[in-house]
Amino acid sequence: MTNWQHFVATFFNAAVMAKYLPDIIDGFCLTVGLAILVVISGIAAGLLLAVLRAFGVRPLNWLLIFVVDLFRALPPLVVIVLLYFGLPSLGFEPSAFGTTWASLSLVLMAFAEEIFWAGITAVPKGQWEAARSTGLSFLQTLGAVVLPQAIRLTVPPLTNRTIAITKGTALGSVIGLSEILSQASSGVSFSFNPSPLTLGAAAYLILFLPVVIAGRWIETRFAWKR
Amino acid sequence: MSNPILEAPILAAPILEARGLHKHFGPLHVLRGVDLAVAERELVFIIGPSGSGKSTFLRCLNRLEEPTAGSVVIDGIDLLDRRTDINHARQRIGMVFQSFNLYPHMTALGNVTLALRKVARRRRSEADEIGRAALARVGLADRAGHYPGQLSGGQQQRVAIARAIALEPRVMLFDEPTSALDPELVGSVLAVMRALRESGMTMVVVSHEMGFARAAADRVLFMDEGLVVEAGPPAQIFGAPQEARTRAFIGQIQRHSS
């Protein structure tokens, strides 16, 4: 066997791949579902926190900044492990899926809040003044004038951060969540062949390449008309 | 029985009255007791060196700045009264800014109709109609669908004026409306302001456009160090100022502009 044949038989073993493809597909579907949930809840919670912060209530903002900094500082894996093994001692037994979803949502929420907040503060003060001078309330100004501009500014950093955190779904494998990586590794263990990992990598590419491309498209789409 | 018609001094009552306005920014005492009464249809011009408090004073008139002390009554509404709905009151006070402050994510028409829909609660079709009429008044009927980035500075400022007049304000405040414009674009904005004045709009203008002040103002206020130093018709302020500080300021400006 030449080196090349050996390489193909190891990483692209058709028989092994065919055997474990259904498992990888299961993992893929679970990862997609989890990723969508994380993106929705994480970004929505982050936006909500940024809006709350805009009200400028001091004690509330201190609490908010503390929570945000906490989840920005903790590695996502630590959050997952802490929740999964810590919550049962409080009499609450979360599923692996629920834990991974909640943990990644909290982390995405924290980063999204910072990004949205940066966007809100980047909108010139004159925009607030112009809107308020025509009689719009604080919330109307925020909703109709400031947030649409802030969100456009935040699309590029938010897209990057969202992709980075959504890839953290692979961390769920640590607590036995049968997502792509976990399915691939158990395939490797049973077959003594790394081809399932190749399949897993392909599954991640299929999942995230469109997201990356969509992010690029959104960036150009959201540029001001000139 | 008294005769209400004879007694009511309706015409004499000012539409805008500021009394004893003070404003502190921390240790800075920016306004030190400014009074101004503006009659309906009057155009009052405010001039003064930078840092004199003229812009701060103007911004106190719609509470974009919160005065530290004093009173502001516009169209019978006490703006500083806690019970006053400031968002409602602001519909009666149009404001135009030095840097236009158009919403970049909305078309010219969108800019003009936003408050009509959100504050005046007009239906979209109705708001669009009013908005198009306001854009026509500033000579930009054909630019309704353009975004601010696609308009010149002068056009943007005219859209900003349309945005304010669409709400049918009783008073218009102009904060250095032409200072950010290239010289060749100033004329179009001044022309709109002149037309607005001819339509009977009450206006308070902070600006250095002396030519416009001379031609259009009823009264010119010279402010320095947070106080009104001198007030009078343009002929007096520009031709024969009574105060030494006014003379020095006018002299400086005329040297630079000639």
Side-chain angles (χ1 to χ4, degrees):
Chain A
M1 220 161 40
T2 64
N3 280 347
W4 174 250
Q5 283 168 328
H6 184 76
F7 173 77
V8 170
T10 308
F11 289 98
F12 295 91
N13 190 312
V16 175
M17 280 188 173
K19 186 170 175 209
Y20 290 99
L21 184 62
D23 290 348
I24 299 287
I25 290 174
D26 284 348
F28 179 83
C29 295
L30 187 133
T31 302
V32 170
L34 179 60
I36 290 172
L37 284 180
V38 166
V39 170
I40 292 172
S41 54
I43 289 180
L47 183 59
L48 181 71
L49 289 195
V51 167
L52 283 179
R53 190 167 169 186
F55 279 91
V57 183
R58 282 274 172 78
L60 180 68
N61 281 6
W62 290 332
L63 178 71
L64 215 141
I65 291 166
F66 172 74
V67 170
V68 164
D69 283 355
L70 185 75
F71 284 108
R72 290 202 305 157
L74 285 173
L77 182 58
V78 173
V79 180
I80 291 174
V81 171
L82 272 179
L83 287 188
Y84 193 66
F85 297 108
L87 285 181
S89 64
L90 295 173
F92 182 72
E93 303 226 358
S95 65
F97 187 91
T99 306
T100 314
W101 166 74
S103 306
L104 295 180
S105 294
L106 285 170
V107 174
L108 181 55
M109 168 194 82
F111 280 99
E113 190 279 336
E114 278 303 295
I115 292 169
F116 282 128
W117 179 247
I120 289 173
T121 51
V123 173
K125 204 168 154 242
Q127 294 288 311
W128 284 96
E129 292 181 345
R132 295 305 305 272
S133 79
T134 58
L136 263 69
S137 69
F138 176 87
L139 268 182
Q140 287 175 323
T141 304
L142 191 66
V145 175
V146 176
L147 277 184
Q149 298 183 54
I151 287 171
R152 273 167 210 238
L153 293 169
T154 58
V155 165
L158 196 61
T159 310
N160 287 331
R161 186 51 74 178
T162 302
I163 292 168
I165 290 169
T166 321
K167 280 190 291 193
T169 47
L171 297 171
S173 59
V174 170
I175 53 170
L177 180 68
S178 6
E179 44 69 65
I180 297 172
L181 181 61
S182 158
Q183 296 282 15
S185 346
S186 63
V188 173
S189 316
F190 285 119
S191 66
F192 301 106
N193 181 294
S195 294
L197 268 182
T198 312
L199 267 186
Y204 277 114
L205 279 182
I206 291 170
L207 175 51
F208 284 108
L209 260 186
V211 179
V212 174
I213 292 166
R216 216 180 279 282
W217 178 78
I218 291 170
E219 274 174 43
T220 48
R221 169 82 223 290
F222 269 34
W224 304 128
K225 279 194 184 148
R226 298 228 176 248
Chain B
M1 282 291 271
S2 60
N3 185 332
I5 294 172
L6 290 179
E7 276 186 7
I10 291 169
L11 291 174
I15 188 154
L16 182 165
E17 191 166 24
R19 284 272 164 261
L21 279 193
H22 284 261
K23 176 68 187 175
H24 293 264
F25 286 117
L28 280 180
H29 199 169
V30 182
L31 295 180
R32 302 189 293 151
V34 180
D35 300 303
L36 174 66
V38 181
E40 225 175 327
R41 307 173 80 90
E42 197 182 14
L43 192 160
V44 174
F45 225 80
I46 306 179
I47 59 171
S50 61
S52 59
K54 54 193 192 306
S55 277
T56 305
F57 173 64
L58 196 73
R59 292 158 57 84
C60 281
L61 297 181
N62 69 351
R63 257 179 72 186
L64 278 186
E65 286 314 338
E66 207 70 48
T68 317
S71 74
V72 178
V73 178
I74 290 187
D75 199 19
I77 302 170
D78 183 351
L79 283 197
L80 303 183
D81 189 326
R82 284 173 165 280
R83 287 162 298 182
T84 299
D85 177 356
I86 187 66
N87 295 326
H88 186 73
R90 277 177 176 150
Q91 288 181 71
R92 302 171 188 226
I93 312 161
M95 185 153 196
V96 174
F97 301 85
Q98 180 176 349
S99 47
F100 329 137
N101 299 346
L102 291 186
Y103 316 131
H105 58 303
M106 295 181 190
T107 61
L109 187 63
N111 269 272
V112 176
T113 55
L114 180 67
L116 285 169
R117 289 188 283 117
K118 300 259 175 196
V119 186
R121 298 265 167 227
R122 304 273 194 172
R123 271 180 287 114
R124 182 178 280 274
S125 57
E126 220 181 337
D128 282 356
E129 199 177 312
I130 299 169
R132 284 181 198 282
L135 284 172
R137 274 183 77 183
V138 300
L140 292 173
D142 56 336
R143 294 286 189 276
H146 286 56
Y147 285 85
Q150 301 167 316
L151 299 172
S152 74
Q155 291 172 333
Q156 289 190 51
Q157 192 60 299
R158 282 146 68 197
V159 173
I161 293 173
R163 174 171 69 183
I165 61 176
L167 291 164
E168 296 181 3
R170 303 298 312 277
V171 179
M172 284 282 290
L173 310 175
F174 291 83
D175 189 5
E176 308 211 20
T178 56
S179 302
L181 293 175
D182 290 336
E184 77 271 21
L185 301 176
V186 168
S188 67
V189 171
L190 292 184
V192 167
M193 289 172 66
R194 195 165 291 133
L196 204 53
R197 156 152 189 67
E198 276 154 20
S199 76
M201 179 65 76
T202 309
M203 295 158 73
V204 181
V205 183
V206 168
S207 169
H208 291 120
E209 297 292 340
M210 299 303 156
F212 181 72
R214 242 187 230 116
D218 295 299
R219 204 148 41 106
V220 179
L221 263 62
F222 171 64
M223 279 184 72
D224 194 18
E225 294 180 353
L227 287 169
V228 176
V229 175
E230 187 172 352
Q236 175 198 326
I237 301 293
F238 297 118
Q242 309 293 303
E243 299 285 331
R245 266 189 292 173
T246 318
R247 262 199 301 280
F249 181 75
I250 298 291
Q252 236 165 12
I253 282 187
Q254 281 168 344
R255 260 201 306 286
H256 286 297
S257 57
S258 61

